[in-house]
Amino acid sequence: VPTVQDSEISLLKSGEVTIGVTLSTDDISQFGDSSRELFIRSSCYSVITVAVSDSGLTISWTFSSEPKSISFSVVYQESADTLVEQSKVLIPLTRCNSHKETVQGQLKARHPGLYTLIFDNSFSRFISKKVFYHLTIEKPVIYDGSDFP
């Protein structure tokens, strides 16, 4: 019986990647306020993989694209050794009009592992895109009672 595969997993397995960027939570903490640029060739995709070592962190992003729209998805893998087929799709592939307005989002990293932000341009046969993105990491505030009188 053939298994139905998520389009995100199919893309990661057989699509053509332009650029893959891997960032630690420390890298993101030192981002500052400026945006970074990611290039995605026509008919390809690019990824930003965030390596998370602590559970409970919140990963937030904003991005815009030019000259036209881009598709966006987030998938999770327990480790670099995890097979692509075992990735969990956290945010399904969604076409974003990020050339018209900035897209914002966030997710809580419930488990340590690799959280991969996919910027998919495979639907565009002729037009390469640029994505301008900014990431932030928020650590959970754990109350330890130390300010109790």
Side-chain angles (χ1 to χ4, degrees), residues 1 7 21-22 25 56 61 95 100 103 110-111 121 123 130 137 142:
V1 178
S7 53
V21 178
T22 301
T25 52
W61 58 83
R95 188 87 161 257
K100 293 181 178 169
V103 174
R110 299 194 185 282
H111 305 284
N121 195 28
F123 60 85
K130 285 182 187 170
I137 291 280
I142 299 170

Side-chain angles (χ1 to χ4, degrees), residues 105-122:
Q106 66 179 40
L107 68 80
K108 188 168 200 136
R110 299 194 185 282
H111 305 284
L114 302 174
Y115 291 81
T116 303
L117 285 61
I118 304 170
F119 295 93
D120 176 26
N121 195 28
S122 60

Side-chain angles (χ1 to χ4, degrees), residues 124-141:
S124 181
R125 292 179 46 200
F126 304 109
I127 300 173
S128 295
K129 312 275 173 63
K130 285 182 187 170
V131 169
F132 301 94
Y133 67 94
H134 186 262
L135 303 175
T136 56
I137 291 280
E138 292 170 44
K139 293 182 167 55
V141 177

Side-chain angles (χ1 to χ4, degrees), residues 88-99:
K88 291 184 177 70
V89 177
L90 302 178
I91 297 177
L93 210 49
T94 306
R95 188 87 161 257
C96 300
N97 286 329
S98 46
H99 60 302

